[in-house]
Short mmCIF file of all heavy atoms in Angstrom, two decimals:
data_model
loop_
_atom_site.label_atom_id
_atom_site.label_comp_id
_atom_site.label_asym_id
_atom_site.label_seq_id
_atom_site.Cartn_x
_atom_site.Cartn_y
_atom_site.Cartn_z
N MET A 1 0.84 -1.19 0.00
CA MET A 1 0.00 0.00 0.00
C MET A 1 0.88 1.25 0.00
O MET A 1 1.93 1.29 0.63
CB MET A 1 -0.88 -0.02 1.25
CG MET A 1 -1.94 1.08 1.25
SD MET A 1 -2.98 1.00 2.74
CE MET A 1 -3.68 2.65 2.71
N LYS A 2 0.42 2.26 -0.73
CA LYS A 2 1.20 3.49 -0.83
C LYS A 2 0.48 4.65 -0.13
O LYS A 2 -0.75 4.68 -0.05
CB LYS A 2 1.40 3.85 -2.31
CG LYS A 2 2.11 2.79 -3.11
CD LYS A 2 3.36 3.36 -3.72
CE LYS A 2 4.04 2.38 -4.65
NZ LYS A 2 4.87 1.40 -3.90
N CYS A 3 1.27 5.57 0.39
CA CYS A 3 0.71 6.77 1.01
C CYS A 3 -0.13 7.52 -0.03
O CYS A 3 0.35 7.79 -1.13
CB CYS A 3 1.85 7.66 1.51
SG CYS A 3 1.29 9.21 2.21
N PRO A 4 -1.40 7.85 0.30
CA PRO A 4 -2.27 8.53 -0.68
C PRO A 4 -1.81 9.95 -0.97
O PRO A 4 -2.28 10.56 -1.93
CB PRO A 4 -3.64 8.52 0.01
CG PRO A 4 -3.35 8.40 1.45
CD PRO A 4 -2.09 7.58 1.56
N ILE A 5 -0.91 10.48 -0.16
CA ILE A 5 -0.46 11.86 -0.36
C ILE A 5 0.81 11.93 -1.20
O ILE A 5 0.90 12.70 -2.14
CB ILE A 5 -0.24 12.54 1.01
CG1 ILE A 5 -1.56 12.55 1.79
CG2 ILE A 5 0.28 13.97 0.81
CD1 ILE A 5 -1.41 13.00 3.24
N CYS A 6 1.79 11.10 -0.85
CA CYS A 6 3.08 11.23 -1.54
C CYS A 6 3.49 9.97 -2.30
O CYS A 6 4.47 9.99 -3.03
CB CYS A 6 4.16 11.62 -0.54
SG CYS A 6 4.49 10.33 0.68
N GLY A 7 2.75 8.87 -2.10
CA GLY A 7 3.07 7.66 -2.86
C GLY A 7 4.20 6.82 -2.29
O GLY A 7 4.56 5.82 -2.88
N ARG A 8 4.74 7.24 -1.12
CA ARG A 8 5.77 6.43 -0.48
C ARG A 8 5.13 5.20 0.18
O ARG A 8 3.93 5.17 0.39
CB ARG A 8 6.51 7.24 0.59
CG ARG A 8 7.61 8.14 0.02
CD ARG A 8 7.84 9.34 0.91
NE ARG A 8 7.82 8.98 2.32
CZ ARG A 8 8.91 8.95 3.10
NH1 ARG A 8 10.07 9.28 2.63
NH2 ARG A 8 8.83 8.61 4.36
N GLU A 9 5.96 4.24 0.53
CA GLU A 9 5.48 3.01 1.14
C GLU A 9 4.86 3.29 2.52
O GLU A 9 5.40 4.07 3.30
CB GLU A 9 6.66 2.04 1.28
CG GLU A 9 6.31 0.58 1.14
CD GLU A 9 5.43 0.23 -0.06
OE1 GLU A 9 5.71 0.65 -1.19
OE2 GLU A 9 4.45 -0.49 0.17
N VAL A 10 3.68 2.67 2.79
CA VAL A 10 2.99 2.85 4.07
C VAL A 10 3.43 1.79 5.05
O VAL A 10 3.65 0.64 4.68
CB VAL A 10 1.46 2.75 3.83
CG1 VAL A 10 0.69 2.61 5.14
CG2 VAL A 10 0.97 3.97 3.07
N LEU A 11 3.58 2.17 6.32
CA LEU A 11 3.93 1.22 7.35
C LEU A 11 2.76 0.27 7.57
O LEU A 11 1.61 0.66 7.40
CB LEU A 11 4.22 1.95 8.67
CG LEU A 11 5.36 2.97 8.64
CD1 LEU A 11 5.41 3.71 9.98
CD2 LEU A 11 6.68 2.28 8.38
N PRO A 12 3.02 -0.99 7.95
CA PRO A 12 1.94 -1.95 8.18
C PRO A 12 0.92 -1.39 9.18
O PRO A 12 1.30 -0.89 10.24
CB PRO A 12 2.65 -3.17 8.75
CG PRO A 12 4.06 -3.05 8.28
CD PRO A 12 4.34 -1.58 8.19
N GLY A 13 -0.36 -1.46 8.84
CA GLY A 13 -1.42 -1.01 9.73
C GLY A 13 -1.67 0.49 9.69
O GLY A 13 -2.59 0.98 10.34
N GLY A 14 -0.89 1.23 8.94
CA GLY A 14 -1.06 2.68 8.89
C GLY A 14 -1.82 3.11 7.65
O GLY A 14 -2.08 2.32 6.74
N ASN A 15 -2.21 4.38 7.64
CA ASN A 15 -2.89 4.94 6.49
C ASN A 15 -1.95 5.77 5.63
O ASN A 15 -2.22 6.01 4.46
CB ASN A 15 -4.05 5.84 6.93
CG ASN A 15 -5.13 5.05 7.64
OD1 ASN A 15 -5.50 3.96 7.23
ND2 ASN A 15 -5.63 5.60 8.74
N PHE A 16 -0.87 6.25 6.24
CA PHE A 16 0.07 7.13 5.56
C PHE A 16 1.50 6.62 5.73
O PHE A 16 1.75 5.73 6.54
CB PHE A 16 -0.03 8.56 6.12
CG PHE A 16 -1.42 9.15 6.06
CD1 PHE A 16 -2.16 9.35 7.21
CD2 PHE A 16 -1.98 9.51 4.85
CE1 PHE A 16 -3.43 9.91 7.16
CE2 PHE A 16 -3.25 10.06 4.78
CZ PHE A 16 -3.99 10.26 5.93
N CYS A 17 2.42 7.22 5.02
CA CYS A 17 3.85 6.91 5.20
C CYS A 17 4.29 7.42 6.58
O CYS A 17 3.53 8.10 7.27
CB CYS A 17 4.66 7.57 4.08
SG CYS A 17 4.64 9.38 4.16
N ASP A 18 5.52 7.14 6.96
CA ASP A 18 5.97 7.53 8.31
C ASP A 18 5.89 9.05 8.52
O ASP A 18 5.44 9.51 9.57
CB ASP A 18 7.37 6.98 8.60
CG ASP A 18 8.40 7.35 7.54
OD1 ASP A 18 8.00 7.87 6.47
OD2 ASP A 18 9.59 7.13 7.77
N ARG A 19 6.33 9.83 7.55
CA ARG A 19 6.31 11.28 7.70
C ARG A 19 4.89 11.82 7.83
O ARG A 19 4.58 12.64 8.70
CB ARG A 19 7.01 11.97 6.51
CG ARG A 19 8.45 11.59 6.33
CD ARG A 19 9.32 12.02 7.50
NE ARG A 19 9.52 13.45 7.55
CZ ARG A 19 10.50 14.11 6.93
NH1 ARG A 19 11.35 13.47 6.16
NH2 ARG A 19 10.62 15.41 7.06
N HIS A 20 4.00 11.36 6.97
CA HIS A 20 2.62 11.85 7.00
C HIS A 20 1.85 11.27 8.19
O HIS A 20 0.91 11.90 8.68
CB HIS A 20 1.92 11.56 5.67
CG HIS A 20 2.34 12.51 4.57
ND1 HIS A 20 2.89 12.10 3.38
CD2 HIS A 20 2.29 13.87 4.53
CE1 HIS A 20 3.19 13.19 2.65
NE2 HIS A 20 2.83 14.26 3.31
N SER A 21 2.21 10.08 8.66
CA SER A 21 1.59 9.53 9.87
C SER A 21 1.93 10.40 11.07
O SER A 21 1.07 10.70 11.91
CB SER A 21 2.09 8.10 10.15
OG SER A 21 1.58 7.21 9.20
N ALA A 22 3.19 10.82 11.17
CA ALA A 22 3.61 11.69 12.27
C ALA A 22 2.87 13.03 12.19
O ALA A 22 2.40 13.56 13.20
CB ALA A 22 5.12 11.91 12.22
N ALA A 23 2.73 13.55 10.98
CA ALA A 23 2.02 14.81 10.79
C ALA A 23 0.54 14.65 11.16
O ALA A 23 -0.04 15.54 11.79
CB ALA A 23 2.16 15.27 9.34
N TYR A 24 -0.03 13.52 10.80
CA TYR A 24 -1.43 13.25 11.11
C TYR A 24 -1.66 13.20 12.61
O TYR A 24 -2.64 13.77 13.13
CB TYR A 24 -1.84 11.92 10.45
CG TYR A 24 -3.28 11.52 10.67
CD1 TYR A 24 -4.33 12.33 10.25
CD2 TYR A 24 -3.60 10.31 11.29
CE1 TYR A 24 -5.65 11.97 10.44
CE2 TYR A 24 -4.91 9.93 11.49
CZ TYR A 24 -5.94 10.76 11.07
OH TYR A 24 -7.24 10.38 11.27
N ARG A 25 -0.73 12.55 13.33
CA ARG A 25 -0.87 12.48 14.78
C ARG A 25 -0.78 13.87 15.43
O ARG A 25 -1.56 14.19 16.32
CB ARG A 25 0.22 11.57 15.38
CG ARG A 25 -0.17 10.10 15.36
CD ARG A 25 0.72 9.28 16.28
NE ARG A 25 2.12 9.36 15.89
CZ ARG A 25 2.68 8.58 14.98
NH1 ARG A 25 1.97 7.65 14.39
NH2 ARG A 25 3.95 8.71 14.67
N SER A 26 0.14 14.69 14.97
CA SER A 26 0.26 16.02 15.57
C SER A 26 -0.95 16.88 15.18
O SER A 26 -1.38 17.74 15.94
CB SER A 26 1.58 16.69 15.19
OG SER A 26 1.62 16.98 13.83
N LEU A 27 -1.50 16.62 14.00
CA LEU A 27 -2.72 17.33 13.57
C LEU A 27 -3.89 16.99 14.51
O LEU A 27 -4.63 17.87 14.96
CB LEU A 27 -3.02 16.90 12.13
CG LEU A 27 -4.12 17.59 11.33
CD1 LEU A 27 -3.83 17.45 9.84
CD2 LEU A 27 -5.47 16.97 11.61
N LEU A 28 -4.03 15.69 14.84
CA LEU A 28 -5.10 15.26 15.75
C LEU A 28 -4.89 15.84 17.15
O LEU A 28 -5.84 16.29 17.79
CB LEU A 28 -5.15 13.73 15.84
CG LEU A 28 -5.71 12.98 14.65
CD1 LEU A 28 -5.69 11.49 14.95
CD2 LEU A 28 -7.12 13.42 14.31
N GLU A 29 -3.63 15.80 17.61
CA GLU A 29 -3.30 16.37 18.92
C GLU A 29 -3.67 17.85 18.95
O GLU A 29 -4.25 18.35 19.91
CB GLU A 29 -1.81 16.22 19.19
CG GLU A 29 -1.42 14.88 19.78
CD GLU A 29 -2.18 14.58 21.06
OE1 GLU A 29 -2.08 15.39 22.00
OE2 GLU A 29 -2.88 13.56 21.12
N GLY A 30 -3.31 18.55 17.89
CA GLY A 30 -3.59 19.98 17.80
C GLY A 30 -5.08 20.26 17.84
O GLY A 30 -5.53 21.22 18.47
N PHE A 31 -5.86 19.40 17.19
CA PHE A 31 -7.31 19.61 17.17
C PHE A 31 -7.90 19.43 18.55
O PHE A 31 -8.82 20.14 18.94
CB PHE A 31 -7.97 18.66 16.17
CG PHE A 31 -9.47 18.87 16.06
CD1 PHE A 31 -9.97 20.08 15.61
CD2 PHE A 31 -10.35 17.87 16.41
CE1 PHE A 31 -11.34 20.29 15.51
CE2 PHE A 31 -11.72 18.06 16.32
CZ PHE A 31 -12.22 19.27 15.86
N LYS A 32 -7.37 18.47 19.30
CA LYS A 32 -7.87 18.22 20.66
C LYS A 32 -7.70 19.46 21.53
O LYS A 32 -8.58 19.82 22.29
CB LYS A 32 -7.14 17.03 21.29
CG LYS A 32 -7.89 15.71 21.11
CD LYS A 32 -7.27 14.62 21.97
CE LYS A 32 -6.45 13.66 21.14
NZ LYS A 32 -5.64 12.75 21.94
N LYS A 33 -6.53 20.11 21.42
CA LYS A 33 -6.26 21.29 22.23
C LYS A 33 -6.88 22.53 21.60
O LYS A 33 -7.71 23.21 22.18
CB LYS A 33 -4.75 21.53 22.34
CG LYS A 33 -4.01 20.44 23.07
CD LYS A 33 -2.51 20.77 23.07
CE LYS A 33 -1.67 19.52 23.22
NZ LYS A 33 -0.32 19.71 22.70
N TRP A 34 -6.46 22.78 20.40
CA TRP A 34 -6.74 24.02 19.70
C TRP A 34 -8.21 24.12 19.27
O TRP A 34 -8.85 25.14 19.47
CB TRP A 34 -5.82 24.08 18.49
CG TRP A 34 -5.51 25.43 18.00
CD1 TRP A 34 -4.79 26.39 18.65
CD2 TRP A 34 -5.90 25.98 16.74
NE1 TRP A 34 -4.71 27.50 17.85
CE2 TRP A 34 -5.37 27.28 16.69
CE3 TRP A 34 -6.64 25.50 15.65
CZ2 TRP A 34 -5.57 28.11 15.59
CZ3 TRP A 34 -6.82 26.32 14.56
CH2 TRP A 34 -6.29 27.61 14.54
N GLY A 35 -8.72 23.02 18.70
CA GLY A 35 -10.10 23.01 18.23
C GLY A 35 -11.06 23.29 19.37
O GLY A 35 -12.04 24.02 19.21
N LYS A 36 -10.77 22.74 20.52
CA LYS A 36 -11.63 22.93 21.69
C LYS A 36 -11.53 24.38 22.18
O LYS A 36 -12.53 25.02 22.47
CB LYS A 36 -11.21 21.96 22.80
CG LYS A 36 -12.29 21.73 23.82
CD LYS A 36 -11.91 20.61 24.78
CE LYS A 36 -12.13 19.23 24.17
NZ LYS A 36 -11.76 18.15 25.11
N ALA A 37 -10.31 24.88 22.25
CA ALA A 37 -10.08 26.24 22.73
C ALA A 37 -10.73 27.27 21.80
O ALA A 37 -11.30 28.26 22.26
CB ALA A 37 -8.59 26.52 22.86
N MET A 38 -10.64 27.02 20.51
CA MET A 38 -11.17 27.97 19.53
C MET A 38 -12.65 27.73 19.22
O MET A 38 -13.26 28.50 18.50
CB MET A 38 -10.38 27.86 18.22
CG MET A 38 -8.89 28.06 18.35
SD MET A 38 -8.42 29.78 18.52
CE MET A 38 -8.63 30.33 16.83
N LYS A 39 -13.18 26.61 19.75
CA LYS A 39 -14.56 26.25 19.46
C LYS A 39 -14.84 26.17 17.95
O LYS A 39 -15.81 26.75 17.46
CB LYS A 39 -15.54 27.24 20.11
CG LYS A 39 -15.56 27.14 21.63
CD LYS A 39 -16.70 27.97 22.20
CE LYS A 39 -16.99 27.64 23.65
NZ LYS A 39 -15.79 27.72 24.51
N ILE A 40 -13.99 25.50 17.27
CA ILE A 40 -14.20 25.31 15.84
C ILE A 40 -14.31 23.83 15.51
O ILE A 40 -13.83 22.98 16.26
CB ILE A 40 -13.09 25.95 14.97
CG1 ILE A 40 -11.73 25.36 15.31
CG2 ILE A 40 -13.10 27.47 15.11
CD1 ILE A 40 -10.61 25.80 14.38
N GLY A 41 -14.95 23.53 14.42
CA GLY A 41 -15.14 22.15 13.99
C GLY A 41 -13.94 21.62 13.23
O GLY A 41 -13.00 22.36 12.91
N TRP A 42 -14.02 20.32 12.92
CA TRP A 42 -12.93 19.62 12.23
C TRP A 42 -12.59 20.27 10.90
O TRP A 42 -11.44 20.54 10.60
CB TRP A 42 -13.36 18.17 12.07
CG TRP A 42 -12.43 17.27 11.31
CD1 TRP A 42 -12.72 16.60 10.17
CD2 TRP A 42 -11.08 16.90 11.66
NE1 TRP A 42 -11.63 15.86 9.78
CE2 TRP A 42 -10.63 16.02 10.68
CE3 TRP A 42 -10.23 17.24 12.72
CZ2 TRP A 42 -9.34 15.46 10.71
CZ3 TRP A 42 -8.95 16.69 12.75
CH2 TRP A 42 -8.53 15.81 11.76
N ARG A 43 -13.59 20.55 10.10
CA ARG A 43 -13.34 21.10 8.76
C ARG A 43 -12.76 22.52 8.84
O ARG A 43 -11.88 22.87 8.06
CB ARG A 43 -14.61 21.11 7.93
CG ARG A 43 -15.16 19.71 7.64
CD ARG A 43 -16.15 19.72 6.51
NE ARG A 43 -15.56 20.22 5.28
CZ ARG A 43 -14.80 19.47 4.46
NH1 ARG A 43 -14.59 18.22 4.73
NH2 ARG A 43 -14.29 19.99 3.37
N GLU A 44 -13.24 23.29 9.79
CA GLU A 44 -12.71 24.64 9.97
C GLU A 44 -11.26 24.57 10.42
O GLU A 44 -10.43 25.39 10.02
CB GLU A 44 -13.53 25.41 11.01
CG GLU A 44 -14.93 25.76 10.55
CD GLU A 44 -15.79 26.16 11.72
OE1 GLU A 44 -16.20 25.28 12.50
OE2 GLU A 44 -16.05 27.36 11.87
N TYR A 45 -10.99 23.61 11.27
CA TYR A 45 -9.63 23.41 11.75
C TYR A 45 -8.70 23.06 10.59
O TYR A 45 -7.61 23.62 10.46
CB TYR A 45 -9.63 22.30 12.81
CG TYR A 45 -8.26 21.88 13.29
CD1 TYR A 45 -7.45 22.76 14.02
CD2 TYR A 45 -7.77 20.61 13.02
CE1 TYR A 45 -6.20 22.37 14.46
CE2 TYR A 45 -6.51 20.21 13.46
CZ TYR A 45 -5.73 21.10 14.18
OH TYR A 45 -4.49 20.70 14.61
N LEU A 46 -9.12 22.15 9.74
CA LEU A 46 -8.31 21.76 8.59
C LEU A 46 -8.04 22.95 7.69
O LEU A 46 -6.93 23.17 7.22
CB LEU A 46 -9.01 20.64 7.79
CG LEU A 46 -9.17 19.29 8.47
CD1 LEU A 46 -9.93 18.33 7.56
CD2 LEU A 46 -7.82 18.69 8.84
N LYS A 47 -9.09 23.74 7.46
CA LYS A 47 -8.96 24.91 6.59
C LYS A 47 -7.99 25.92 7.21
O LYS A 47 -7.15 26.48 6.51
CB LYS A 47 -10.34 25.55 6.38
CG LYS A 47 -10.33 26.66 5.35
CD LYS A 47 -11.72 27.25 5.16
CE LYS A 47 -11.75 28.26 4.01
NZ LYS A 47 -10.67 29.25 4.06
N ALA A 48 -8.10 26.11 8.52
CA ALA A 48 -7.21 27.04 9.20
C ALA A 48 -5.75 26.59 9.08
O ALA A 48 -4.85 27.41 8.89
CB ALA A 48 -7.62 27.15 10.67
N LEU A 49 -5.53 25.29 9.17
CA LEU A 49 -4.16 24.77 9.04
C LEU A 49 -3.61 25.04 7.65
O LEU A 49 -2.47 25.47 7.49
CB LEU A 49 -4.15 23.26 9.30
CG LEU A 49 -4.22 22.77 10.72
CD1 LEU A 49 -4.19 21.24 10.72
CD2 LEU A 49 -3.06 23.29 11.54
N VAL A 50 -4.44 24.75 6.64
CA VAL A 50 -3.99 24.94 5.25
C VAL A 50 -3.70 26.41 4.98
O VAL A 50 -2.74 26.74 4.29
CB VAL A 50 -5.06 24.38 4.27
CG1 VAL A 50 -4.70 24.76 2.83
CG2 VAL A 50 -5.17 22.87 4.41
N ASP A 51 -4.53 27.29 5.55
CA ASP A 51 -4.37 28.73 5.30
C ASP A 51 -3.26 29.36 6.13
O ASP A 51 -2.83 30.48 5.85
CB ASP A 51 -5.69 29.46 5.61
CG ASP A 51 -6.76 29.13 4.59
OD1 ASP A 51 -6.41 28.62 3.51
OD2 ASP A 51 -7.95 29.37 4.88
N ASN A 52 -2.83 28.66 7.18
CA ASN A 52 -1.82 29.23 8.08
C ASN A 52 -0.41 29.07 7.50
O ASN A 52 0.05 27.95 7.29
CB ASN A 52 -1.92 28.54 9.44
CG ASN A 52 -1.02 29.18 10.48
OD1 ASN A 52 -0.08 29.92 10.16
ND2 ASN A 52 -1.29 28.89 11.73
N PRO A 53 0.29 30.18 7.26
CA PRO A 53 1.64 30.09 6.69
C PRO A 53 2.64 29.43 7.63
O PRO A 53 3.71 29.01 7.19
CB PRO A 53 2.02 31.55 6.40
CG PRO A 53 1.13 32.37 7.27
CD PRO A 53 -0.13 31.57 7.46
N ASN A 54 2.31 29.32 8.92
CA ASN A 54 3.21 28.70 9.89
C ASN A 54 3.06 27.19 9.99
O ASN A 54 3.83 26.53 10.67
CB ASN A 54 3.01 29.32 11.28
CG ASN A 54 3.36 30.80 11.29
OD1 ASN A 54 4.34 31.21 10.70
ND2 ASN A 54 2.53 31.60 11.94
N THR A 55 2.01 26.65 9.35
CA THR A 55 1.82 25.20 9.38
C THR A 55 2.93 24.52 8.61
O THR A 55 3.29 24.95 7.52
CB THR A 55 0.46 24.84 8.75
OG1 THR A 55 -0.59 25.52 9.43
CG2 THR A 55 0.20 23.34 8.82
N GLY A 56 3.47 23.45 9.19
CA GLY A 56 4.53 22.70 8.52
C GLY A 56 4.03 22.06 7.23
O GLY A 56 2.84 21.76 7.09
N GLN A 57 4.96 21.85 6.31
CA GLN A 57 4.62 21.30 5.00
C GLN A 57 3.89 19.96 5.09
O GLN A 57 2.88 19.74 4.44
CB GLN A 57 5.91 21.16 4.17
CG GLN A 57 5.69 20.60 2.77
CD GLN A 57 4.86 21.54 1.90
OE1 GLN A 57 4.85 22.75 2.12
NE2 GLN A 57 4.17 20.98 0.93
N TRP A 58 4.37 19.06 5.93
CA TRP A 58 3.78 17.72 6.02
C TRP A 58 2.37 17.80 6.58
O TRP A 58 1.45 17.13 6.09
CB TRP A 58 4.64 16.81 6.89
CG TRP A 58 6.01 16.59 6.34
CD1 TRP A 58 7.14 17.30 6.65
CD2 TRP A 58 6.41 15.64 5.34
NE1 TRP A 58 8.20 16.83 5.92
CE2 TRP A 58 7.79 15.82 5.11
CE3 TRP A 58 5.72 14.66 4.63
CZ2 TRP A 58 8.50 15.04 4.19
CZ3 TRP A 58 6.43 13.89 3.72
CH2 TRP A 58 7.79 14.08 3.51
N VAL A 59 2.20 18.60 7.64
CA VAL A 59 0.88 18.75 8.27
C VAL A 59 -0.09 19.37 7.27
O VAL A 59 -1.25 18.95 7.16
CB VAL A 59 0.98 19.62 9.55
CG1 VAL A 59 -0.41 19.92 10.11
CG2 VAL A 59 1.83 18.90 10.59
N LYS A 60 0.39 20.35 6.54
CA LYS A 60 -0.45 21.02 5.55
C LYS A 60 -0.93 20.03 4.48
O LYS A 60 -2.09 20.05 4.09
CB LYS A 60 0.34 22.17 4.92
CG LYS A 60 -0.53 23.15 4.17
CD LYS A 60 0.23 24.39 3.76
CE LYS A 60 0.42 25.37 4.92
NZ LYS A 60 0.79 26.72 4.45
N GLU A 61 -0.06 19.17 4.04
CA GLU A 61 -0.44 18.18 3.02
C GLU A 61 -1.48 17.22 3.56
O GLU A 61 -2.43 16.85 2.85
CB GLU A 61 0.80 17.41 2.56
CG GLU A 61 1.70 18.25 1.67
CD GLU A 61 2.99 17.54 1.28
OE1 GLU A 61 3.19 16.37 1.68
OE2 GLU A 61 3.79 18.17 0.59
N VAL A 62 -1.32 16.80 4.82
CA VAL A 62 -2.31 15.90 5.42
C VAL A 62 -3.65 16.61 5.56
O VAL A 62 -4.70 16.05 5.24
CB VAL A 62 -1.82 15.38 6.80
CG1 VAL A 62 -2.92 14.59 7.50
CG2 VAL A 62 -0.59 14.50 6.64
N ALA A 63 -3.62 17.85 6.05
CA ALA A 63 -4.85 18.62 6.24
C ALA A 63 -5.60 18.78 4.91
O ALA A 63 -6.81 18.62 4.84
CB ALA A 63 -4.54 19.99 6.84
N ARG A 64 -4.85 19.08 3.87
CA ARG A 64 -5.47 19.26 2.55
C ARG A 64 -6.08 17.95 2.06
O ARG A 64 -7.19 17.92 1.54
CB ARG A 64 -4.40 19.75 1.56
CG ARG A 64 -4.98 20.41 0.33
CD ARG A 64 -3.89 20.96 -0.57
NE ARG A 64 -3.23 22.13 -0.01
CZ ARG A 64 -1.91 22.33 0.01
NH1 ARG A 64 -1.10 21.42 -0.48
NH2 ARG A 64 -1.41 23.42 0.52
N HIS A 65 -5.36 16.87 2.29
CA HIS A 65 -5.85 15.55 1.89
C HIS A 65 -7.14 15.19 2.63
O HIS A 65 -8.11 14.75 2.02
CB HIS A 65 -4.78 14.50 2.18
CG HIS A 65 -5.24 13.08 1.98
ND1 HIS A 65 -5.41 12.53 0.73
CD2 HIS A 65 -5.62 12.14 2.87
CE1 HIS A 65 -5.85 11.28 0.87
NE2 HIS A 65 -5.99 11.02 2.16
N LEU A 66 -7.17 15.42 3.94
CA LEU A 66 -8.34 15.08 4.75
C LEU A 66 -9.54 15.96 4.37
O LEU A 66 -10.68 15.49 4.33
CB LEU A 66 -8.04 15.25 6.24
CG LEU A 66 -7.00 14.26 6.80
CD1 LEU A 66 -6.65 14.66 8.22
CD2 LEU A 66 -7.52 12.84 6.77
N ALA A 67 -9.28 17.22 4.07
CA ALA A 67 -10.35 18.13 3.70
C ALA A 67 -11.00 17.68 2.41
O ALA A 67 -12.23 17.72 2.26
CB ALA A 67 -9.80 19.56 3.56
N GLU A 68 -10.21 17.21 1.47
CA GLU A 68 -10.75 16.75 0.20
C GLU A 68 -11.48 15.43 0.35
O GLU A 68 -12.53 15.21 -0.23
CB GLU A 68 -9.61 16.56 -0.83
CG GLU A 68 -9.10 17.87 -1.38
CD GLU A 68 -7.82 17.68 -2.19
OE1 GLU A 68 -7.45 16.52 -2.48
OE2 GLU A 68 -7.18 18.70 -2.49
N GLU A 69 -10.91 14.56 1.18
CA GLU A 69 -11.46 13.22 1.37
C GLU A 69 -12.89 13.25 1.90
O GLU A 69 -13.73 12.48 1.48
CB GLU A 69 -10.56 12.48 2.37
CG GLU A 69 -10.86 11.01 2.49
CD GLU A 69 -9.90 10.34 3.45
OE1 GLU A 69 -9.77 10.83 4.60
OE2 GLU A 69 -9.25 9.36 3.07
N LYS A 70 -13.13 14.17 2.84
CA LYS A 70 -14.46 14.20 3.47
C LYS A 70 -15.39 15.23 2.87
O LYS A 70 -16.47 15.46 3.38
CB LYS A 70 -14.28 14.45 4.97
CG LYS A 70 -13.59 13.28 5.64
CD LYS A 70 -13.49 13.46 7.14
CE LYS A 70 -12.80 12.24 7.76
NZ LYS A 70 -12.50 12.44 9.16
N ALA A 71 -14.98 15.83 1.78
CA ALA A 71 -15.80 16.85 1.14
C ALA A 71 -17.04 16.20 0.53
O ALA A 71 -17.00 15.06 0.10
CB ALA A 71 -15.01 17.60 0.08
ZN1 ZN B 101 3.26 10.35 2.63
#
């Protein structure tokens, strides 16, 4: 199985490659803290990440992927 974002090999049992899996985990962690504090929903959170120039490249790619997936 290949990472749906970059096409690299996916670790067994994972949805993304190692880099994007790590980004996905930090994205979820961020939503738990930040999403609650800001009172925003999942989709708004993803959009905010993509629009934020300070978001890391890997996290941004995951956020964009998730936003499209659930559209
Ligand atoms: Zn990847």
Side-chain angles (χ1 to χ4, degrees):
M1 188 179 162
K2 301 238 186 279
C3 177
I5 300 170
C6 66
R8 278 153 42 108
E9 213 48 49
V10 167
L11 300 174
N15 295 317
F16 304 110
C17 67
D18 53 349
R19 300 296 288 272
H20 283 122
S21 290
Y24 181 60
R25 275 196 300 275
S26 67
L27 188 155
L28 286 181
E29 275 303 303
F31 182 62
K32 265 191 255 169
K33 295 178 204 157
W34 206 67
K36 200 172 281 180
M38 304 283 284
K39 291 190 166 53
I40 59 173
W42 176 240
R43 296 197 60 80
E44 291 165 286
Y45 174 67
L46 293 178
K47 188 179 186 312
L49 282 180
V50 172
D51 290 343
N52 187 342
N54 296 319
T55 303
Q57 180 64 27
W58 298 94
V59 173
K60 196 170 281 197
E61 287 176 1
V62 172
R64 200 176 289 135
H65 172 75
L66 293 172
E68 284 170 11
E69 190 178 53
K70 293 184 179 171

